[in-house]
Amino acid sequence: MNRLPYQSHYPGQKSMVDSFEKLERLKIPKNLKGKSFLDIGCNEGFFCNVAIERGASRVVGIDNDKNFINNAKEIYGNKGIIFLHEDWYNLPNEKFDIILWASAMHYELDPLKVLMKIANILNDDGLFILECGIAPGNSKKYETCN
């Protein structure tokens, strides 16, 4: 049985997540000429590719899932994107103009720790894009959320 890709890489592709729909919601700037871009939890690299297509000069994607990183390298590896098999505690030791952390913060037990790491590598005039969901937990207080 073939597993669906996590991200869609072309319009209409069956996948677990419609990357093109999510792209509209994230509002990544259209012009990234000369900007550096980091995608934390890049999955299969869709948003890294968007950054390259929009003119980013340096694009780095990290994910702790080796299969996602291998898929990203296979799909977008010829575009100059750097894909790293890392977790978000080991962010690159450099500054970025734009940092994306999408659909992942809800997996982190101590998000403030990661947010502080992000703040340290985001340029002073940089843009941080955060998209988060709600993960089910053991707390009764979230049972009534819809």
Side-chain angles (χ1 to χ4, degrees), residues 7 37-48 58-66 68-70 72-73 81-94 96 99-102 104 114 117-118 121:
Q7 294 177 313
F37 182 94
L38 172 65
D39 185 351
I40 302 170
C42 69
N43 293 301
E44 296 167 333
F46 175 83
F47 298 108
C48 292
R58 178 163 171 76
V59 177
V60 178
I62 67 166
D63 204 289
N64 69 347
D65 186 311
K66 190 162 184 69
F68 282 159
I69 290 297
N70 288 340
K73 287 178 179 178
I81 302 167
I82 298 167
F83 291 109
L84 303 172
H85 178 227
E86 290 288 347
D87 61 35
W88 45 61
Y89 296 114
N90 295 307
L91 298 177
N93 188 23
E94 62 184 278
F96 289 90
I99 299 177
L100 171 65
W101 194 20
V114 179
K117 288 183 173 288
I118 291 168
I121 63 169

mmCIF file of all heavy atoms in Angstrom, residues 7 37-48 58-66 68-70 72-73 81-94 96 99-102 104 114 117-118 121:
data_model
loop_
_atom_site.group_PDB
_atom_site.id
_atom_site.type_symbol
_atom_site.label_atom_id
_atom_site.label_comp_id
_atom_site.label_asym_id
_atom_site.label_seq_id
_atom_site.Cartn_x
_atom_site.Cartn_y
_atom_site.Cartn_z
ATOM 1 N N GLN A 7 2.852 16.504 2.337
ATOM 2 C CA GLN A 7 2.544 17.771 1.678
ATOM 3 C C GLN A 7 2.176 17.536 0.218
ATOM 4 O O GLN A 7 2.674 16.611 -0.409
ATOM 5 C CB GLN A 7 3.759 18.703 1.731
ATOM 6 C CG GLN A 7 4.122 19.136 3.131
ATOM 7 C CD GLN A 7 5.363 20.000 3.155
ATOM 8 O OE1 GLN A 7 6.371 19.680 2.530
ATOM 9 N NE2 GLN A 7 5.302 21.103 3.889
ATOM 10 N N PHE A 37 15.880 32.305 4.674
ATOM 11 C CA PHE A 37 14.605 31.690 5.079
ATOM 12 C C PHE A 37 14.889 30.375 5.777
ATOM 13 O O PHE A 37 15.624 29.537 5.263
ATOM 14 C CB PHE A 37 13.758 31.461 3.819
ATOM 15 C CG PHE A 37 12.394 30.885 4.049
ATOM 16 C CD1 PHE A 37 11.290 31.707 4.182
ATOM 17 C CD2 PHE A 37 12.198 29.512 4.088
ATOM 18 C CE1 PHE A 37 10.026 31.181 4.360
ATOM 19 C CE2 PHE A 37 10.933 28.968 4.266
ATOM 20 C CZ PHE A 37 9.838 29.804 4.405
ATOM 21 N N LEU A 38 14.309 30.189 6.959
ATOM 22 C CA LEU A 38 14.420 28.940 7.698
ATOM 23 C C LEU A 38 13.032 28.374 7.919
ATOM 24 O O LEU A 38 12.149 29.077 8.425
ATOM 25 C CB LEU A 38 15.104 29.172 9.059
ATOM 26 C CG LEU A 38 15.125 27.982 10.021
ATOM 27 C CD1 LEU A 38 15.954 26.827 9.464
ATOM 28 C CD2 LEU A 38 15.646 28.414 11.395
ATOM 29 N N ASP A 39 12.844 27.111 7.567
ATOM 30 C CA ASP A 39 11.586 26.404 7.813
ATOM 31 C C ASP A 39 11.863 25.341 8.870
ATOM 32 O O ASP A 39 12.568 24.360 8.617
ATOM 33 C CB ASP A 39 11.073 25.772 6.522
ATOM 34 C CG ASP A 39 9.700 25.122 6.669
ATOM 35 O OD1 ASP A 39 9.201 25.006 7.807
ATOM 36 O OD2 ASP A 39 9.136 24.708 5.643
ATOM 37 N N ILE A 40 11.313 25.546 10.054
ATOM 38 C CA ILE A 40 11.481 24.614 11.169
ATOM 39 C C ILE A 40 10.353 23.597 11.100
ATOM 40 O O ILE A 40 9.183 23.958 11.188
ATOM 41 C CB ILE A 40 11.446 25.358 12.518
ATOM 42 C CG1 ILE A 40 12.528 26.429 12.559
ATOM 43 C CG2 ILE A 40 11.571 24.375 13.676
ATOM 44 C CD1 ILE A 40 12.415 27.370 13.748
ATOM 45 N N GLY A 41 10.710 22.325 10.951
ATOM 46 C CA GLY A 41 9.705 21.287 10.741
ATOM 47 C C GLY A 41 9.238 21.318 9.297
ATOM 48 O O GLY A 41 8.057 21.350 9.006
ATOM 49 N N CYS A 42 10.195 21.305 8.382
ATOM 50 C CA CYS A 42 9.915 21.547 6.957
ATOM 51 C C CYS A 42 9.195 20.400 6.256
ATOM 52 O O CYS A 42 8.787 20.553 5.107
ATOM 53 C CB CYS A 42 11.209 21.870 6.221
ATOM 54 S SG CYS A 42 12.361 20.481 6.060
ATOM 55 N N ASN A 43 9.052 19.278 6.918
ATOM 56 C CA ASN A 43 8.415 18.121 6.298
ATOM 57 C C ASN A 43 9.111 17.774 4.989
ATOM 58 O O ASN A 43 10.301 17.530 4.983
ATOM 59 C CB ASN A 43 6.906 18.349 6.117
ATOM 60 C CG ASN A 43 6.188 18.435 7.439
ATOM 61 O OD1 ASN A 43 6.239 17.499 8.231
ATOM 62 N ND2 ASN A 43 5.559 19.560 7.710
ATOM 63 N N GLU A 44 8.392 17.804 3.887
ATOM 64 C CA GLU A 44 8.944 17.404 2.596
ATOM 65 C C GLU A 44 9.425 18.588 1.750
ATOM 66 O O GLU A 44 9.709 18.436 0.574
ATOM 67 C CB GLU A 44 7.917 16.581 1.825
ATOM 68 C CG GLU A 44 7.592 15.277 2.542
ATOM 69 C CD GLU A 44 6.363 14.580 2.002
ATOM 70 O OE1 GLU A 44 5.462 15.247 1.455
ATOM 71 O OE2 GLU A 44 6.306 13.358 2.152
ATOM 72 N N GLY A 45 9.523 19.779 2.365
ATOM 73 C CA GLY A 45 10.193 20.894 1.730
ATOM 74 C C GLY A 45 9.366 21.840 0.883
ATOM 75 O O GLY A 45 9.922 22.742 0.251
ATOM 76 N N PHE A 46 8.058 21.710 0.876
ATOM 77 C CA PHE A 46 7.216 22.553 0.022
ATOM 78 C C PHE A 46 7.468 24.044 0.245
ATOM 79 O O PHE A 46 7.664 24.802 -0.708
ATOM 80 C CB PHE A 46 5.732 22.233 0.235
ATOM 81 C CG PHE A 46 4.811 23.141 -0.522
ATOM 82 C CD1 PHE A 46 4.520 22.895 -1.851
ATOM 83 C CD2 PHE A 46 4.241 24.258 0.074
ATOM 84 C CE1 PHE A 46 3.675 23.740 -2.565
ATOM 85 C CE2 PHE A 46 3.403 25.109 -0.623
ATOM 86 C CZ PHE A 46 3.117 24.846 -1.953
ATOM 87 N N PHE A 47 7.462 24.499 1.503
ATOM 88 C CA PHE A 47 7.601 25.934 1.775
ATOM 89 C C PHE A 47 9.020 26.429 1.532
ATOM 90 O O PHE A 47 9.229 27.587 1.194
ATOM 91 C CB PHE A 47 7.100 26.274 3.182
ATOM 92 C CG PHE A 47 5.637 25.965 3.339
ATOM 93 C CD1 PHE A 47 5.214 24.891 4.100
ATOM 94 C CD2 PHE A 47 4.685 26.725 2.680
ATOM 95 C CE1 PHE A 47 3.868 24.586 4.218
ATOM 96 C CE2 PHE A 47 3.331 26.427 2.778
ATOM 97 C CZ PHE A 47 2.920 25.351 3.555
ATOM 98 N N CYS A 48 9.996 25.546 1.662
ATOM 99 C CA CYS A 48 11.374 25.897 1.275
ATOM 100 C C CYS A 48 11.427 26.179 -0.224
ATOM 101 O O CYS A 48 12.072 27.136 -0.661
ATOM 102 C CB CYS A 48 12.333 24.761 1.628
ATOM 103 S SG CYS A 48 12.562 24.510 3.392
ATOM 104 N N ARG A 58 19.096 32.281 0.500
ATOM 105 C CA ARG A 58 19.527 31.138 1.319
ATOM 106 C C ARG A 58 18.285 30.532 1.970
ATOM 107 O O ARG A 58 17.530 31.237 2.642
ATOM 108 C CB ARG A 58 20.518 31.578 2.382
ATOM 109 C CG ARG A 58 20.969 30.438 3.295
ATOM 110 C CD ARG A 58 22.237 30.797 4.045
ATOM 111 N NE ARG A 58 22.592 29.837 5.064
ATOM 112 C CZ ARG A 58 23.130 28.645 4.853
ATOM 113 N NH1 ARG A 58 23.355 28.247 3.617
ATOM 114 N NH2 ARG A 58 23.443 27.841 5.846
ATOM 115 N N VAL A 59 18.101 29.220 1.777
ATOM 116 C CA VAL A 59 16.948 28.529 2.339
ATOM 117 C C VAL A 59 17.431 27.276 3.047
ATOM 118 O O VAL A 59 18.156 26.465 2.476
ATOM 119 C CB VAL A 59 15.914 28.168 1.246
ATOM 120 C CG1 VAL A 59 14.752 27.379 1.839
ATOM 121 C CG2 VAL A 59 15.406 29.427 0.554
ATOM 122 N N VAL A 60 16.996 27.148 4.301
ATOM 123 C CA VAL A 60 17.332 25.985 5.113
ATOM 124 C C VAL A 60 16.032 25.406 5.654
ATOM 125 O O VAL A 60 15.185 26.139 6.180
ATOM 126 C CB VAL A 60 18.265 26.364 6.288
ATOM 127 C CG1 VAL A 60 18.567 25.155 7.160
ATOM 128 C CG2 VAL A 60 19.549 27.006 5.775
ATOM 129 N N GLY A 61 15.887 24.101 5.527
ATOM 130 C CA GLY A 61 14.754 23.388 6.106
ATOM 131 C C GLY A 61 15.262 22.325 7.055
ATOM 132 O O GLY A 61 16.199 21.606 6.728
ATOM 133 N N ILE A 62 14.659 22.273 8.241
ATOM 134 C CA ILE A 62 15.035 21.221 9.184
ATOM 135 C C ILE A 62 13.807 20.421 9.582
ATOM 136 O O ILE A 62 12.689 20.941 9.636
ATOM 137 C CB ILE A 62 15.739 21.777 10.443
ATOM 138 C CG1 ILE A 62 14.786 22.604 11.297
ATOM 139 C CG2 ILE A 62 16.974 22.577 10.090
ATOM 140 C CD1 ILE A 62 15.312 22.882 12.696
ATOM 141 N N ASP A 63 14.029 19.155 9.821
ATOM 142 C CA ASP A 63 12.968 18.280 10.327
ATOM 143 C C ASP A 63 13.630 17.126 11.055
ATOM 144 O O ASP A 63 14.715 16.684 10.668
ATOM 145 C CB ASP A 63 12.089 17.761 9.189
ATOM 146 C CG ASP A 63 10.709 17.362 9.690
ATOM 147 O OD1 ASP A 63 10.588 16.329 10.391
ATOM 148 O OD2 ASP A 63 9.747 18.107 9.399
ATOM 149 N N ASN A 64 12.958 16.628 12.092
ATOM 150 C CA ASN A 64 13.532 15.513 12.837
ATOM 151 C C ASN A 64 13.116 14.162 12.273
ATOM 152 O O ASN A 64 13.535 13.129 12.771
ATOM 153 C CB ASN A 64 13.201 15.609 14.329
ATOM 154 C CG ASN A 64 11.734 15.382 14.627
ATOM 155 O OD1 ASN A 64 10.907 15.382 13.730
ATOM 156 N ND2 ASN A 64 11.409 15.220 15.887
ATOM 157 N N ASP A 65 12.307 14.162 11.212
ATOM 158 C CA ASP A 65 11.895 12.917 10.556
ATOM 159 C C ASP A 65 12.799 12.693 9.339
ATOM 160 O O ASP A 65 12.720 13.421 8.355
ATOM 161 C CB ASP A 65 10.436 13.011 10.137
ATOM 162 C CG ASP A 65 9.882 11.711 9.580
ATOM 163 O OD1 ASP A 65 10.546 11.109 8.693
ATOM 164 O OD2 ASP A 65 8.797 11.296 10.004
ATOM 165 N N LYS A 66 13.643 11.705 9.433
ATOM 166 C CA LYS A 66 14.616 11.431 8.359
ATOM 167 C C LYS A 66 13.927 11.136 7.028
ATOM 168 O O LYS A 66 14.416 11.537 5.970
ATOM 169 C CB LYS A 66 15.530 10.289 8.764
ATOM 170 C CG LYS A 66 16.712 10.116 7.824
ATOM 171 C CD LYS A 66 17.801 9.309 8.480
ATOM 172 C CE LYS A 66 19.029 9.198 7.636
ATOM 173 N NZ LYS A 66 19.763 10.420 7.478
ATOM 174 N N PHE A 68 11.082 12.410 5.929
ATOM 175 C CA PHE A 68 10.677 13.695 5.356
ATOM 176 C C PHE A 68 11.865 14.392 4.711
ATOM 177 O O PHE A 68 11.758 14.919 3.599
ATOM 178 C CB PHE A 68 10.058 14.609 6.410
ATOM 179 C CG PHE A 68 8.631 14.298 6.773
ATOM 180 C CD1 PHE A 68 8.106 14.742 7.967
ATOM 181 C CD2 PHE A 68 7.805 13.579 5.933
ATOM 182 C CE1 PHE A 68 6.792 14.483 8.313
ATOM 183 C CE2 PHE A 68 6.487 13.300 6.269
ATOM 184 C CZ PHE A 68 5.980 13.761 7.466
ATOM 185 N N ILE A 69 12.997 14.419 5.404
ATOM 186 C CA ILE A 69 14.194 15.079 4.868
ATOM 187 C C ILE A 69 14.664 14.381 3.595
ATOM 188 O O ILE A 69 15.012 15.048 2.604
ATOM 189 C CB ILE A 69 15.313 15.140 5.930
ATOM 190 C CG1 ILE A 69 14.930 16.125 7.035
ATOM 191 C CG2 ILE A 69 16.659 15.506 5.318
ATOM 192 C CD1 ILE A 69 14.774 17.570 6.582
ATOM 193 N N ASN A 70 14.656 13.071 3.589
ATOM 194 C CA ASN A 70 15.051 12.339 2.374
ATOM 195 C C ASN A 70 14.116 12.657 1.219
ATOM 196 O O ASN A 70 14.566 12.860 0.083
ATOM 197 C CB ASN A 70 15.103 10.838 2.644
ATOM 198 C CG ASN A 70 16.278 10.445 3.507
ATOM 199 O OD1 ASN A 70 17.261 11.179 3.613
ATOM 200 N ND2 ASN A 70 16.185 9.298 4.151
ATOM 201 N N ALA A 72 12.343 15.426 0.877
ATOM 202 C CA ALA A 72 12.594 16.818 0.506
ATOM 203 C C ALA A 72 13.810 16.916 -0.406
ATOM 204 O O ALA A 72 13.788 17.624 -1.421
ATOM 205 C CB ALA A 72 12.799 17.668 1.765
ATOM 206 N N LYS A 73 14.869 16.197 -0.049
ATOM 207 C CA LYS A 73 16.079 16.218 -0.875
ATOM 208 C C LYS A 73 15.809 15.629 -2.257
ATOM 209 O O LYS A 73 16.327 16.124 -3.260
ATOM 210 C CB LYS A 73 17.201 15.440 -0.189
ATOM 211 C CG LYS A 73 17.788 16.149 1.000
ATOM 212 C CD LYS A 73 18.857 15.303 1.674
ATOM 213 C CE LYS A 73 19.465 16.018 2.860
ATOM 214 N NZ LYS A 73 20.475 15.177 3.545
ATOM 215 N N ILE A 81 18.562 24.285 -1.917
ATOM 216 C CA ILE A 81 18.010 24.311 -0.563
ATOM 217 C C ILE A 81 18.833 23.367 0.311
ATOM 218 O O ILE A 81 19.177 22.268 -0.109
ATOM 219 C CB ILE A 81 16.530 23.868 -0.564
ATOM 220 C CG1 ILE A 81 15.692 24.776 -1.474
ATOM 221 C CG2 ILE A 81 15.976 23.852 0.853
ATOM 222 C CD1 ILE A 81 14.303 24.242 -1.782
ATOM 223 N N ILE A 82 19.112 23.798 1.526
ATOM 224 C CA ILE A 82 19.824 22.954 2.479
ATOM 225 C C ILE A 82 18.792 22.293 3.383
ATOM 226 O O ILE A 82 18.033 22.981 4.071
ATOM 227 C CB ILE A 82 20.818 23.785 3.315
ATOM 228 C CG1 ILE A 82 21.862 24.396 2.394
ATOM 229 C CG2 ILE A 82 21.465 22.929 4.402
ATOM 230 C CD1 ILE A 82 22.688 25.463 3.037
ATOM 231 N N PHE A 83 18.741 20.972 3.353
ATOM 232 C CA PHE A 83 17.834 20.215 4.212
ATOM 233 C C PHE A 83 18.652 19.487 5.266
ATOM 234 O O PHE A 83 19.591 18.764 4.941
ATOM 235 C CB PHE A 83 17.015 19.209 3.392
ATOM 236 C CG PHE A 83 16.010 19.849 2.480
ATOM 237 C CD1 PHE A 83 16.193 19.840 1.107
ATOM 238 C CD2 PHE A 83 14.875 20.464 2.993
ATOM 239 C CE1 PHE A 83 15.266 20.426 0.263
ATOM 240 C CE2 PHE A 83 13.940 21.058 2.159
ATOM 241 C CZ PHE A 83 14.137 21.042 0.791
ATOM 242 N N LEU A 84 18.279 19.694 6.530
ATOM 243 C CA LEU A 84 19.012 19.114 7.642
ATOM 244 C C LEU A 84 18.114 18.218 8.486
ATOM 245 O O LEU A 84 16.993 18.620 8.843
ATOM 246 C CB LEU A 84 19.581 20.219 8.536
ATOM 247 C CG LEU A 84 20.497 21.235 7.877
ATOM 248 C CD1 LEU A 84 20.816 22.371 8.852
ATOM 249 C CD2 LEU A 84 21.760 20.563 7.385
ATOM 250 N N HIS A 85 18.612 17.044 8.810
ATOM 251 C CA HIS A 85 17.914 16.143 9.719
ATOM 252 C C HIS A 85 18.286 16.552 11.143
ATOM 253 O O HIS A 85 19.299 16.126 11.681
ATOM 254 C CB HIS A 85 18.310 14.680 9.420
ATOM 255 C CG HIS A 85 17.664 13.709 10.340
ATOM 256 N ND1 HIS A 85 18.364 12.704 10.947
ATOM 257 C CD2 HIS A 85 16.385 13.588 10.759
ATOM 258 C CE1 HIS A 85 17.548 11.996 11.700
ATOM 259 N NE2 HIS A 85 16.343 12.522 11.609
ATOM 260 N N GLU A 86 17.486 17.434 11.726
ATOM 261 C CA GLU A 86 17.724 17.993 13.058
ATOM 262 C C GLU A 86 16.388 18.203 13.749
ATOM 263 O O GLU A 86 15.345 18.230 13.109
ATOM 264 C CB GLU A 86 18.425 19.361 12.961
ATOM 265 C CG GLU A 86 19.847 19.335 12.512
ATOM 266 C CD GLU A 86 20.814 18.792 13.556
ATOM 267 O OE1 GLU A 86 20.422 18.660 14.741
ATOM 268 O OE2 GLU A 86 21.946 18.500 13.174
ATOM 269 N N ASP A 87 16.447 18.393 15.065
ATOM 270 C CA ASP A 87 15.249 18.815 15.779
ATOM 271 C C ASP A 87 15.336 20.317 16.027
ATOM 272 O O ASP A 87 16.344 20.951 15.725
ATOM 273 C CB ASP A 87 15.053 18.027 17.074
ATOM 274 C CG ASP A 87 16.193 18.192 18.058
ATOM 275 O OD1 ASP A 87 16.780 19.296 18.136
ATOM 276 O OD2 ASP A 87 16.504 17.219 18.764
ATOM 277 N N TRP A 88 14.284 20.890 16.571
ATOM 278 C CA TRP A 88 14.260 22.345 16.732
ATOM 279 C C TRP A 88 15.048 22.837 17.933
ATOM 280 O O TRP A 88 15.098 24.023 18.214
ATOM 281 C CB TRP A 88 12.851 22.914 16.751
ATOM 282 C CG TRP A 88 11.846 22.198 17.584
ATOM 283 C CD1 TRP A 88 11.859 21.986 18.932
ATOM 284 C CD2 TRP A 88 10.635 21.619 17.111
ATOM 285 N NE1 TRP A 88 10.749 21.310 19.325
ATOM 286 C CE2 TRP A 88 9.960 21.069 18.219
ATOM 287 C CE3 TRP A 88 10.041 21.510 15.867
ATOM 288 C CZ2 TRP A 88 8.745 20.431 18.122
ATOM 289 C CZ3 TRP A 88 8.826 20.862 15.777
ATOM 290 C CH2 TRP A 88 8.185 20.329 16.889
ATOM 291 N N TYR A 89 15.712 21.941 18.642
ATOM 292 C CA TYR A 89 16.651 22.366 19.681
ATOM 293 C C TYR A 89 18.023 22.639 19.081
ATOM 294 O O TYR A 89 18.875 23.233 19.727
ATOM 295 C CB TYR A 89 16.779 21.307 20.784
ATOM 296 C CG TYR A 89 15.490 21.098 21.525
ATOM 297 C CD1 TYR A 89 14.809 19.891 21.437
ATOM 298 C CD2 TYR A 89 14.940 22.105 22.301
ATOM 299 C CE1 TYR A 89 13.621 19.707 22.113
ATOM 300 C CE2 TYR A 89 13.750 21.927 22.974
ATOM 301 C CZ TYR A 89 13.095 20.716 22.873
ATOM 302 O OH TYR A 89 11.920 20.532 23.525
ATOM 303 N N ASN A 90 18.249 22.182 17.851
ATOM 304 C CA ASN A 90 19.535 22.352 17.167
ATOM 305 C C ASN A 90 19.360 23.207 15.916
ATOM 306 O O ASN A 90 19.643 22.766 14.807
ATOM 307 C CB ASN A 90 20.125 20.988 16.806
ATOM 308 C CG ASN A 90 20.464 20.181 18.029
ATOM 309 O OD1 ASN A 90 21.166 20.656 18.908
ATOM 310 N ND2 ASN A 90 19.942 18.974 18.102
ATOM 311 N N LEU A 91 18.892 24.423 16.120
ATOM 312 C CA LEU A 91 18.699 25.337 14.996
ATOM 313 C C LEU A 91 20.055 25.802 14.476
ATOM 314 O O LEU A 91 21.030 25.859 15.229
ATOM 315 C CB LEU A 91 17.860 26.539 15.440
ATOM 316 C CG LEU A 91 16.443 26.215 15.923
ATOM 317 C CD1 LEU A 91 15.744 27.481 16.396
ATOM 318 C CD2 LEU A 91 15.629 25.520 14.844
ATOM 319 N N PRO A 92 20.130 26.134 13.194
ATOM 320 C CA PRO A 92 21.402 26.623 12.638
ATOM 321 C C PRO A 92 21.919 27.832 13.418
ATOM 322 O O PRO A 92 21.143 28.667 13.886
ATOM 323 C CB PRO A 92 21.040 27.002 11.203
ATOM 324 C CG PRO A 92 19.831 26.195 10.888
ATOM 325 C CD PRO A 92 19.076 26.070 12.185
ATOM 326 N N ASN A 93 23.222 27.929 13.533
ATOM 327 C CA ASN A 93 23.858 29.016 14.269
ATOM 328 C C ASN A 93 24.135 30.183 13.320
ATOM 329 O O ASN A 93 25.280 30.492 13.008
ATOM 330 C CB ASN A 93 25.155 28.524 14.927
ATOM 331 C CG ASN A 93 25.742 29.563 15.844
ATOM 332 O OD1 ASN A 93 25.046 30.450 16.329
ATOM 333 N ND2 ASN A 93 27.035 29.467 16.066
ATOM 334 N N GLU A 94 23.059 30.792 12.853
ATOM 335 C CA GLU A 94 23.150 31.952 11.956
ATOM 336 C C GLU A 94 21.845 32.725 12.038
ATOM 337 O O GLU A 94 20.852 32.224 12.561
ATOM 338 C CB GLU A 94 23.418 31.498 10.512
ATOM 339 C CG GLU A 94 22.322 30.624 9.932
ATOM 340 C CD GLU A 94 22.646 30.098 8.542
ATOM 341 O OE1 GLU A 94 22.442 30.847 7.580
ATOM 342 O OE2 GLU A 94 23.085 28.940 8.450
ATOM 343 N N PHE A 96 18.483 34.673 10.402
ATOM 344 C CA PHE A 96 17.571 34.533 9.269
ATOM 345 C C PHE A 96 16.633 35.726 9.209
ATOM 346 O O PHE A 96 16.245 36.288 10.232
ATOM 347 C CB PHE A 96 16.745 33.245 9.390
ATOM 348 C CG PHE A 96 17.551 32.003 9.175
ATOM 349 C CD1 PHE A 96 18.180 31.373 10.234
ATOM 350 C CD2 PHE A 96 17.704 31.473 7.905
ATOM 351 C CE1 PHE A 96 18.938 30.230 10.042
ATOM 352 C CE2 PHE A 96 18.455 30.328 7.696
ATOM 353 C CZ PHE A 96 19.082 29.710 8.773
ATOM 354 N N ILE A 99 11.598 33.258 9.425
ATOM 355 C CA ILE A 99 11.558 31.930 10.034
ATOM 356 C C ILE A 99 10.103 31.487 10.079
ATOM 357 O O ILE A 99 9.223 32.213 10.544
ATOM 358 C CB ILE A 99 12.162 31.929 11.450
ATOM 359 C CG1 ILE A 99 13.636 32.352 11.391
ATOM 360 C CG2 ILE A 99 12.009 30.542 12.091
ATOM 361 C CD1 ILE A 99 14.318 32.458 12.756
ATOM 362 N N LEU A 100 9.887 30.278 9.574
ATOM 363 C CA LEU A 100 8.561 29.666 9.551
ATOM 364 C C LEU A 100 8.560 28.476 10.493
ATOM 365 O O LEU A 100 9.442 27.614 10.420
ATOM 366 C CB LEU A 100 8.233 29.201 8.120
ATOM 367 C CG LEU A 100 6.984 28.351 7.928
ATOM 368 C CD1 LEU A 100 5.719 29.142 8.258
ATOM 369 C CD2 LEU A 100 6.927 27.825 6.494
ATOM 370 N N TRP A 101 7.562 28.429 11.380
ATOM 371 C CA TRP A 101 7.345 27.256 12.244
ATOM 372 C C TRP A 101 5.870 26.928 12.123
ATOM 373 O O TRP A 101 5.027 27.523 12.776
ATOM 374 C CB TRP A 101 7.745 27.559 13.681
ATOM 375 C CG TRP A 101 7.871 26.348 14.567
ATOM 376 C CD1 TRP A 101 8.033 25.058 14.174
ATOM 377 C CD2 TRP A 101 7.852 26.325 15.998
ATOM 378 N NE1 TRP A 101 8.123 24.225 15.266
ATOM 379 C CE2 TRP A 101 8.027 24.982 16.402
ATOM 380 C CE3 TRP A 101 7.719 27.299 16.974
ATOM 381 C CZ2 TRP A 101 8.051 24.598 17.742
ATOM 382 C CZ3 TRP A 101 7.750 26.906 18.310
ATOM 383 C CH2 TRP A 101 7.925 25.583 18.675
ATOM 384 N N ALA A 102 5.546 26.023 11.222
ATOM 385 C CA ALA A 102 4.146 25.739 10.897
ATOM 386 C C ALA A 102 3.768 24.313 11.287
ATOM 387 O O ALA A 102 4.520 23.370 11.063
ATOM 388 C CB ALA A 102 3.911 25.937 9.398
ATOM 389 N N ALA A 104 3.591 22.614 13.992
ATOM 390 C CA ALA A 104 4.500 21.798 14.789
ATOM 391 C C ALA A 104 4.564 22.207 16.256
ATOM 392 O O ALA A 104 4.861 21.372 17.102
ATOM 393 C CB ALA A 104 5.895 21.843 14.180
ATOM 394 N N VAL A 114 11.797 26.838 22.701
ATOM 395 C CA VAL A 114 12.066 26.901 21.262
ATOM 396 C C VAL A 114 11.888 28.330 20.757
ATOM 397 O O VAL A 114 12.690 28.816 19.953
ATOM 398 C CB VAL A 114 11.167 25.920 20.482
ATOM 399 C CG1 VAL A 114 11.441 26.000 18.988
ATOM 400 C CG2 VAL A 114 11.362 24.494 20.988
ATOM 401 N N LYS A 117 14.956 30.273 21.310
ATOM 402 C CA LYS A 117 15.994 29.931 20.329
ATOM 403 C C LYS A 117 15.721 30.641 19.005
ATOM 404 O O LYS A 117 16.632 31.152 18.365
ATOM 405 C CB LYS A 117 16.057 28.420 20.131
ATOM 406 C CG LYS A 117 16.651 27.673 21.301
ATOM 407 C CD LYS A 117 16.736 26.191 20.994
ATOM 408 C CE LYS A 117 17.470 25.448 22.061
ATOM 409 N NZ LYS A 117 18.905 25.684 22.086
ATOM 410 N N ILE A 118 14.459 30.662 18.609
ATOM 411 C CA ILE A 118 14.074 31.339 17.370
ATOM 412 C C ILE A 118 14.384 32.832 17.468
ATOM 413 O O ILE A 118 14.933 33.419 16.540
ATOM 414 C CB ILE A 118 12.588 31.081 17.050
ATOM 415 C CG1 ILE A 118 12.380 29.610 16.664
ATOM 416 C CG2 ILE A 118 12.088 32.017 15.956
ATOM 417 C CD1 ILE A 118 10.928 29.170 16.604
ATOM 418 N N ILE A 121 17.939 33.786 16.663
ATOM 419 C CA ILE A 121 18.477 33.677 15.299
ATOM 420 C C ILE A 121 17.665 34.462 14.276
ATOM 421 O O ILE A 121 17.985 34.441 13.094
ATOM 422 C CB ILE A 121 18.629 32.198 14.858
ATOM 423 C CG1 ILE A 121 17.288 31.480 14.798
ATOM 424 C CG2 ILE A 121 19.620 31.465 15.760
ATOM 425 C CD1 ILE A 121 17.356 30.119 14.122
#
